[in-house]
């Protein structure tokens, strides 16, 4: 038998915005995962790079896209009306490189999450993204790596960790091998983590 809470949850749809800078594999994965959902709608994809392949992928899947410059990203008078226009209730950073401005963090408390391709606090912070992370993992001779989903704060990669998933590494693994192993974790788990977080709103 359904509870009132279950009924209310089913009636409520959360519009999410996905912020991306690159190829958009996680972005596409999220859009496909939530396609047809009654409770989650990927309403907007935002990128700081006009040539980001993620934009074309999102458009092909019928999701509205918007390019914002660094100045626009840091301008409350630009970003807040944009997010309000699409009734955005939650923001997912999926390979988004610029720092999120303080006003957005304050406007969306515990409603902005980021995915990072290492087991934070290791290999996080400024300049640590993509292959830079995997190269550092390889250079350190780590026996495992993984993905971290964390809340976004004004400190780069400094927000509370929500969940981590790990994978074993061998000395024979190349940087590309490490990247692929970690990427497989992202494809498998990231949409499910977002789904759980949205259910708890």
């Amino acid at each position: 038998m359904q509870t009132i809470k279950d009924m209310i949850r089913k009636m409520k749809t959360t519009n999410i915005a996905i912020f991306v800078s690159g190829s958009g594999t996680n972005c596409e994965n999220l859009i496909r995962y939530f396609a047809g959902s009654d409770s989650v709608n990927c309403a907007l994809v935002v990128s700081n790079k006009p040539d980001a392949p993620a934009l074309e992928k999102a458009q092909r899947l019928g999701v509205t896209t918007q390019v914002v410059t660094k100045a626009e990203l840091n301008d409350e008078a630009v970003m807040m009306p944009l997010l309000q226009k699409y009734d955005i209730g939650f923001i997912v950073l999926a390979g988004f490189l610029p720092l999120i401005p303080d006003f957005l963090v304050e406007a969306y408390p515990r409603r902005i999450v980021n995915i990072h391709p290492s087991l934070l606090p290791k290999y996080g912070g400024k300049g640590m993204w993509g292959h830079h992370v995997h190269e550092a993992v390889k250079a350190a001779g780590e026996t495992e790596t993984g993905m971290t989903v964390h809340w976004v704060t004004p400190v780069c990669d400094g927000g509370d960790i929500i969940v981590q998933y790990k994978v074993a590494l061998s000395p024979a693994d190349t940087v590309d091998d490490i990247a692929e192993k970690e990427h497989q974790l992202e494809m498998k788990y990231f949409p499910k983590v977002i789904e759980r977080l949205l259910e708890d709103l």
Side-chain angles (χ1 to χ4, degrees), residues 5-193:
K5 186 176 180 182
D6 289 333
M7 290 170 67
I8 291 172
R9 182 182 294 153
K10 285 189 175 180
M11 290 164 57
K12 177 185 163 194
T13 299
T14 302
N15 288 335
I16 69 171
I18 306 171
F19 284 32
V20 293
S21 293
S23 65
T25 51
N26 272 305
C27 176
E28 181 178 12
N29 195 31
L30 287 167
I31 293 169
R32 291 187 182 280
Y33 185 85
F34 290 116
S37 170
D38 292 329
S39 58
V40 182
N41 175 42
C42 295
L44 181 66
V45 170
V46 175
S47 181
N48 63 310
K49 293 183 176 291
D51 59 348
L55 295 171
E56 186 183 341
K57 290 175 181 176
Q59 290 163 6
R60 221 168 38 231
L61 293 168
V63 178
T64 300
T65 62
Q66 180 71 44
V67 176
V68 295
T69 64
K70 183 177 181 181
E72 289 170 337
L73 175 66
N74 288 284
D75 188 341
E76 188 170 355
V78 172
M79 292 305 297
M80 292 312 298
L82 173 65
L83 297 173
Q84 288 160 4
K85 177 181 178 181
Y86 295 96
D87 193 25
I88 300 302
F90 198 88
I91 298 172
V92 178
L93 309 187
F96 189 68
L97 299 183
L99 275 177
I100 297 299
D102 291 1
F103 70 82
L104 264 186
V105 175
E106 291 167 9
Y108 287 86
R110 293 263 172 173
R111 284 176 178 257
I112 309 178
V113 298
N114 182 46
I115 187 169
H116 187 79
S118 78
L119 297 171
L120 291 175
K122 288 185 174 183
Y123 313 111
K126 188 176 180 181
M128 295 305 289
W129 54 272
H131 261 243
H132 301 292
V133 175
H134 306 308
E135 287 163 359
V137 168
K138 175 66 176 176
E142 296 283 1
T143 58
E144 65 178 8
T145 190
M147 59 171 273
T148 300
V149 181
H150 66 91
W151 295 113
V152 171
T153 68
V155 178
C156 182
D157 296 329
D160 290 344
I161 291 171
I162 298 166
V163 67
Q164 293 181 314
Y165 293 95
K166 300 178 181 180
V167 63
L169 300 177
S170 78
D173 284 335
T174 65
V175 172
D176 286 343
D177 293 333
I178 294 169
E180 180 58 26
K181 284 184 174 184
E182 188 277 328
H183 186 63
Q184 290 301 319
L185 294 178
E186 294 181 358
M187 293 295 100
K188 182 176 181 180
Y189 292 113
F190 195 33
K192 295 175 184 177
V193 172

